[in-house]
Amino acid sequence: MSPGRIRRHPGKRTLVFVAVLWTAAGARAAVPAAPAPVLIDTLTVTAPRPERHLGGPATVTVVDLDDDGARTDLAELLEEVAGLQIRRYGGLGAPALPSVRGSTATQVTVLIDGVPVSDALTGQLDLSTLPLDRFTRAEVFRGAAPASLGAGGGLGAVNLISREPGRGAGELQLSAGSWGEAGARLVTQGRAAGVDALLLLHGRRADNAYPFPDDRWTPYNPADDTVGDRVNDWFREGGASLVLRRNAWDGPRVRLAAGLYDRAAGRPGPTGDHASPHATTSTGRADLHLELSDAARRYGLEAAWRHDRDHLDDPLAEVAWPAGETVGDSRHGLLRAFGALDHALPAGLGTAAWLVTAGARRQVYDRTTRGLEQPARERTAWEAGADLRWDLPGARLTVWPGLRWRRLRDDFPAETALPGPVEPAPADPRVREDWAPSAALVWEARPGVLFVEARRFREHRAPTWAELFGIPGGLAGNRGLTPERLDGRELALRLHGRGLRVRWAWFRNDVQDAIVWYPNSQATSRASNIGRTRTIGHELELAADLGSHASGWLSLTQQEARDVGIDPVYAGKDLPHQPRWTVAVGGVVRRDGWALRGRLLAEAGHWRDRYNGPGARVLARTLTSLALTRAWDHARLLQDRELRLTLEILNLTDTAARDLDGYPLPGRSLRATALIR
């Protein structure tokens, strides 16, 4: 991400030195739309609508997802953020799971416009099923996300912000590339009867039948290596979204957003004998989001609804046992109120701003496995929370404590890990209540230049339905599970100079009662609170603006994520899928309508299993890319519209690389994109 994608917040009254009190973080609070700047943000961008949730006791990086003529995917842009790793299962369109500072994917909350969308069954969300075309930016929170995003429950969060109606007439983007890649995006917008409207249509496909070196799962024995073509890694997706917004200066603000998405894809395995050439998946999604608020979004009410349908066709039991079809159908509903209150304190004590929220969520899930209908799952969550921002102007100090509360109720029977009779429903529902405190201190050591920050938080990650109640095919539920206990802390320095922004951070995350799957029979595994992990590391973010013709950026993460539990077989071993270091560096040079962008992403080797066996090692990799763009601001042939033509070379050095679990990545690839707006 060049500084065009990531820009540091200038922070006039700033925040910096964040120590961490034990008071907390809660549901949907709001950053008031007051003249005072948001202080705790690490990075931010200009938004077309007031934002309520930036800030709070968390480190946040805001990523501009406007591809500026190039057509990539969401995971590719997010993996450039320090502290965030993306676990891919192959090339373009393959499943991609986020990890924040050594976390599991279940410890990362994914949201769209502040509404959580992570799957209740597995606790994860595949980023490849969230089309980049729909979003303009992403907010990546490391630590306790602000109260405005709900009860959280993890070590980080990724909040995606949808496109909003603007003053432009719209745009058309077309792309084509190697391995059968093709895509299109059409955006049209306008205004009528005081209502702004935006309509988006998008689609994308790829065959991904690229050649790759197959090491037969013996990376240190080149004698058995072969070259094969990737099989069953195709995908086709399309969707539409509509946003209607009425925003009067002296009246209520109404925003309605709706979306449809459909996707079909192959379900390939890694390589060799582990491939699954016959399994396919499909995903369908519909969502609706309504928000009513005052013009400044200081208080209001929002409601959201989503319907997901997932289908796995596995005729030869290549993915799961037994063979057949699995259909999952889930409905999600949310109702939430938010409010903000500013008030001046007695002389010398500065100002304070309360951000409060409260709401409820309901999730219902039906599953049919191999023609057998499973018991319906239902979860109800009540959430409330508040953040307090207290600015002490004389000391140039900001204190930001918060507290969240959440109550979960699960009411349905467990499933059997192997085919057999279904357990009767328990007499009493399973109810769990948690409190999550967090706090931040930010000290402006040198006005407008140097900031010192300290943060700390405690969270709980509730067990997923798969962990609590099992899944047919070998996973046995454990209704006695307790939430994972998460403890995080951070110290950081921020420096703002002329054309240079630097941020360094030290962090530590501890997870107790970590949920681990372990074999409890020859054919089944059972979840249990027997794990304990610790991640300690450093992050470095740098953005340099060298004038109107050049800019550059760097993100570096160094961490040690280890098992520190009681099991001597795994104690002291590295956690799987957690490289010791990652670095992303890039820049852009502009001249007379031309722009040349370069990017390098390097990652240390890592392990695929908890035991760190020699055959489970994924080797280090370095991938480089170049993109050349030519822009015409007033193309006469297009009625004075802007035209951008981009040619990208991905994996420029044709490196033979692997990702999560040994899934091969494509070699050198080309992509051409045309953007008219």
Side-chain angles (χ1 to χ4, degrees), residues 495-580:
L495 177 65
H496 295 176
R498 291 186 177 180
L500 180 67
R501 281 87 60 200
V502 181
R503 184 179 191 278
W504 167 87
W506 169 90
F507 64 87
R508 171 173 169 170
N509 289 333
D510 290 275
V511 180
Q512 299 187 50
D513 296 330
I515 298 175
V516 177
W517 291 96
Y518 70 94
N520 66 329
S521 75
Q522 290 183 340
T524 64
S525 296
R526 188 171 188 263
S528 182
N529 294 106
I530 60 174
R532 184 178 177 188
T533 68
R534 176 173 299 154
T535 303
I536 300 176
H538 304 266
E539 295 170 358
L540 176 65
E541 297 172 300
L542 183 149
D545 187 354
L546 306 179
S548 60
H549 297 302
S551 56
W553 55 272
L554 177 144
S555 296
L556 172 67
T557 305
Q558 181 277 323
Q559 65 180 20
E560 290 188 359
R562 292 186 171 176
D563 190 311
V564 293
I566 60 174
D567 191 331
V569 175
Y570 305 112
K573 302 290 183 67
D574 287 354
L575 297 179
H577 317 309
Q578 297 294 340
R580 293 258 180 131

Side-chain angles (χ1 to χ4, degrees), residues 387-409:
D387 286 339
L388 168 65
R389 191 184 72 204
W390 178 19
D391 297 318
L392 294 147
R396 301 194 301 271
L397 184 70
T398 297
V399 183
W400 204 317
L403 183 64
R404 304 176 185 177
W405 168 81
R406 178 174 56 184
R407 185 176 187 267
L408 294 178
R409 171 180 170 141

Side-chain angles (χ1 to χ4, degrees), residues 37-51:
V38 177
L39 300 180
I40 290 207
D41 310 3
T42 301
L43 306 166
T44 189
V45 295
T46 302
R49 63 188 177 116
E51 292 303 327

Side-chain angles (χ1 to χ4, degrees), residues 23 26 44 49 92 168 213 254 284 295-296 355 374 392 408 431 497 504 533 619 640 671 676:
T23 22
T44 189
R49 63 188 177 116
L92 180 68
V254 182
L355 313 172
Q374 306 298 320
L392 294 147
L408 294 178
V431 178
W504 167 87
T533 68
L619 302 180
D640 286 338
R671 179 186 298 143
I676 304 170

Side-chain angles (χ1 to χ4, degrees), residues 562-613:
R562 292 186 171 176
D563 190 311
V564 293
I566 60 174
D567 191 331
V569 175
Y570 305 112
K573 302 290 183 67
D574 287 354
L575 297 179
H577 317 309
Q578 297 294 340
R580 293 258 180 131
W581 56 264
T582 58
V583 60
V585 59
V588 58
V589 178
R590 306 178 186 88
R591 185 78 176 183
D592 298 330
W594 292 88
L596 178 64
R597 292 177 174 81
R599 185 190 82 146
L600 179 147
L601 180 66
E603 185 175 85
H606 56 274
W607 307 98
R608 294 187 294 105
D609 67 359
R610 294 177 61 208
Y611 184 68
N612 297 175

